[in-house]
Amino acid sequence: MTTSILVGPDDTGRDIVPEQLLAQIGIGNLMAVSGGRWIRYGFSSVRFPCGAGYEVLVTLEADDTYTVRRIFSRSGTWFLHGERTNVYNDAVSEVVYFASCFRSYEPGEWEHKA
């Protein structure tokens, strides 16, 4: 499942407090996913660059759940390589980790690991 997104996902969720998400992910997983790097994206999302053009985008939705997406970007075009919705705060750490493992899990496979 690879979908082209020209600009990026709509920022339709709630305002996110990045520090709260980072605490839920934990320092160990944050270092494993992106080496500690993160970028706020809009008001409701945080991006974690994983390398080789891949990133994990985490969005806080209006119902207090997260949507986790694996994004591949080239020349300003984003390609969606899997998405998992309705992720609760106690599972976001594991889902983000599996989404970041772009060499180990194919799109359609990582969404069901956590």
Side-chain angles (χ1 to χ4, degrees):
M1 175 187 127
T2 302
T3 306
S4 175
I5 304 172
L6 295 179
V7 177
D10 291 334
D11 193 23
T12 58
R14 293 183 41 195
D15 287 352
I16 192 169
V17 178
E19 293 77 17
Q20 190 174 29
L21 174 63
L22 297 175
Q24 291 169 349
I25 291 175
I27 191 68
N29 274 348
L30 179 62
M31 296 301 284
V33 167
S34 65
R37 298 169 296 155
W38 59 275
I39 305 158
R40 185 168 183 149
Y41 180 76
F43 294 108
S44 63
S45 300
V46 176
R47 293 168 36 192
F48 300 98
C50 303
Y54 284 92
E55 11 184 280
V56 176
L57 180 70
V58 181
T59 304
L60 179 63
E61 300 297 342
D63 61 353
D64 280 340
T65 62
Y66 292 102
T67 298
V68 179
R69 297 177 181 97
R70 179 193 290 171
I71 304 289
F72 178 74
S73 61
R74 278 289 183 258
S75 302
T77 303
W78 285 17
F79 299 93
L80 182 64
H81 280 238
E83 176 179 77
R84 182 159 170 197
T85 58
N86 296 326
V87 178
Y88 291 99
N89 63 347
D90 59 342
V92 71
S93 176
E94 193 173 3
V95 174
V96 166
Y97 176 76
F98 281 115
S100 73
C101 297
F102 59 91
R103 289 187 175 97
S104 300
Y105 301 107
E106 295 294 321
E109 181 183 7
W110 69 265
E111 295 96 327
H112 307 289
K113 288 293 182 185

